[in-house]
Amino acid sequence: MKQFLDYLHKITPLSADAQAAIVAKLQKAAYSKGEVLIKELSKCEHLFFIEKGLARAYYFKQGKEITDWFGLENSVIGPVVRHFPTKTGMHSVELLEDTVVISISFYDLQELYDKYHEIERLGRMIAIQTILSMQQKIDSMQFLTAKQRYHDFVKAYPSLLQRVSLGDIASYLGMNQVTMSRIRKI
Amino acid sequence: MKQFLDYLHKITPLSADAQAAIVAKLQKAAYSKGEVLIKELSKCEHLFFIEKGLARAYYFKQGKEITDWFGLENSVIGPVVRHFPTKTGMHSVELLEDTVVISISFYDLQELYDKYHEIERLGRMIAIQTILSMQQKIDSMQFLTAKQRYHDFVKAYPSLLQRVSLGDIASYLGMNQVTMSRIRKI
DNA sequence: ATGATTTTTTAGCAATTGCTAAAAGGAATC
DNA sequence: GATTCCTTTTAGCAATTGCTAAAAAATCAT
């Protein structure tokens, strides 16, 4: 669980006591490529940390799959900041590679929030980090052309280009796959 | 200060003790239409609550003013969730009407976070609410046409149509003012 | 009111992006 | 190696949106 604690520590320092309380509630599990980690995100009762592997969150919009998140190693996904029934239809998380996740139940997390002020702070910090990355996404969608968004993505996540299908990347970037193919050609 | 405490209470209940600690740090001030409330948001040392009036946050993008937030009554703006140097150039907040704001310094707020677990929770909740509204913005920008975004805005904030210039609304909605005018014509 | 300034609309054209359908390329299976 | 399935690219056309410039309308100050 060291990797997860390191991840948390970089966000905000935690006492040994709080760290131990967290570890006591953690569960580690391995899944295979193609498995569905979370069937319905809005009803998900756990928070996940991806220790190793790759995940993809997606939902359906007019019959089409829309990818709205990629989870590389050291990513967090779950109800902490995503427990909203905003998307219509199923919002799921599937694994694109063999993946090791660490999970904590939302119930346990709430208990930790109640008991440890510093963990509540951690939750606030993670939420603020999420806000920051969402703001970047908003800015890129509002001002960058499809071409710029694609090239920024390639620069930011070069490894994903090899590990994820281009169709998923196109939907993540909010453009038609045909458009993205045209961009790649140039 | 009752209006502000009511606003907070709806987000998460606060003890009388915590409420008193907050009130002790608050300051109320009145400004006139046209004044600049915050000159540089990323360096702003205060959190503001708009008790009455209307504010607008904007920045410059290639010489053009981009509005990225409207603050109606019962809105919060400040470093809690916005203290990021993401925008290039000046990011300011001006008042579109005579406005009464309640403010708290970021320093005092941090002190309150440290001292009161429940206020830290409040901060987390406000961050989560922000995430929710940002997700809605992302979804609307990714999937809705300019026409749909405009009509959704009108439905959501009918009063702003009277109180804000159409150019500001267009930039807020991420479209050319000329495009918006075309949409309105139909 | 009158003139000046700002805001909004209109017009014409260009660029970007989306859509459908088909072809090409790759990967998996037998 | 052939077949099948899935992914990616290509092609042609349509729709949306952006841009510039100018006209019209509204607002503001004197």
Side-chain angles (χ1 to χ4, degrees), chain A residues 52-81:
Chain A
K52 186 179 176 318
L54 181 61
R56 174 179 82 95
Y58 64 97
Y59 58 99
F60 289 92
K61 180 89 185 176
Q62 293 163 1
K64 284 182 190 166
E65 256 188 29
I66 306 293
T67 296
D68 68 342
W69 178 82
F70 290 116
L72 280 160
E73 288 162 24
N74 296 313
S75 304
V76 167
I77 189 167
V80 185
V81 295

Side-chain angles (χ1 to χ4, degrees), chain A:
Chain A
M1 307 302 186
K2 184 175 180 309
Q3 186 178 337
F4 183 49
L5 289 176
D6 281 353
Y7 166 82
L8 296 182
H9 189 77
K10 275 183 193 155
I11 297 168
T12 193
L14 290 175
S15 69
D17 193 20
Q19 288 187 33
I22 292 173
V23 168
K25 301 295 190 184
L26 298 180
Q27 289 196 316
K28 192 181 283 205
Y31 296 90
S32 302
K33 174 177 175 172
E35 283 192 74
V36 174
L37 177 65
I38 303 172
K39 197 168 177 192
E40 178 43 55
L41 194 51
S42 72
K43 290 173 188 156
C44 175
E45 299 293 339
H46 291 261
L47 169 73
F48 294 92
F49 173 79
I50 297 174
E51 187 173 285
K52 186 179 176 318
L54 181 61
R56 174 179 82 95
Y58 64 97
Y59 58 99
F60 289 92
K61 180 89 185 176
Q62 293 163 1
K64 284 182 190 166
E65 256 188 29
I66 306 293
T67 296
D68 68 342
W69 178 82
F70 290 116
L72 280 160
E73 288 162 24
N74 296 313
S75 304
V76 167
I77 189 167
V80 185
V81 295
R82 311 192 115 254
H83 196 58
F84 307 123
T86 52
K87 314 284 187 191
T88 47
M90 206 65 115
H91 195 189
S92 307
V93 177
E94 70 161 9
L95 301 173
L96 301 179
E97 300 175 357
D98 292 351
T99 298
V100 177
V101 300
I102 291 170
S103 66
I104 183 169
S105 80
F106 192 49
Y107 177 84
D108 286 341
L109 183 63
Q110 189 59 53
E111 220 172 74
L112 291 173
Y113 280 154
D114 290 342
K115 195 164 175 188
Y116 293 92
H117 180 163
E118 56 191 311
I119 296 178
E120 186 98 44
R121 171 162 301 180
L122 179 68
R124 183 170 67 84
M125 294 300 188
I126 291 175
I128 287 179
Q129 283 193 353
T130 303
I131 288 170
L132 177 55
S133 71
M134 291 174 93
Q135 185 62 53
Q136 284 175 345
K137 176 141 189 169
I138 289 172
D139 289 346
S140 85
M141 293 189 42
Q142 188 148 18
F143 298 113
L144 303 186
T145 62
K147 189 188 294 185
Q148 289 172 309
R149 295 204 302 280
Y150 172 75
H151 287 122
D152 284 359
F153 180 86
V154 172
K155 194 182 276 183
Y157 309 103
S159 74
L160 286 187
L161 214 58
Q162 324 299 329
R163 297 160 76 183
V164 177
S165 83
L166 294 177
D168 288 351
I169 292 174
S171 90
Y172 175 77
L173 294 175
M175 68 183 78
N176 202 295
Q177 182 175 0
V178 177
T179 298
M180 199 172 96
S181 183
R182 235 177 338 216
I183 289 164
R184 284 163 53 80
K185 192 188 169 187
I186 304 168

Side-chain angles (χ1 to χ4, degrees), chain B residues 127-146:
Chain B
I128 287 179
Q129 284 194 354
T130 303
I131 288 170
L132 176 54
S133 71
M134 290 175 92
Q135 185 61 54
Q136 284 175 345
K137 175 138 186 170
I138 289 172
D139 290 346
S140 85
M141 292 191 40
Q142 188 148 18
F143 298 113
L144 303 186
T145 62

Side-chain angles (χ1 to χ4, degrees), chain B residues 145-146 175-176 178-179 182:
Chain B
T145 62
M175 68 184 75
N176 202 295
V178 178
T179 299
R182 237 180 335 222

Side-chain angles (χ1 to χ4, degrees), chain B residues 39-43 58-63 84-92:
Chain B
K39 195 167 178 192
E40 178 43 57
L41 195 51
S42 71
K43 291 172 186 156
Y58 63 97
Y59 58 99
F60 289 93
K61 180 90 185 174
Q62 293 163 2
F84 307 123
T86 50
K87 313 285 185 186
T88 48
M90 205 66 114
H91 196 188
S92 309

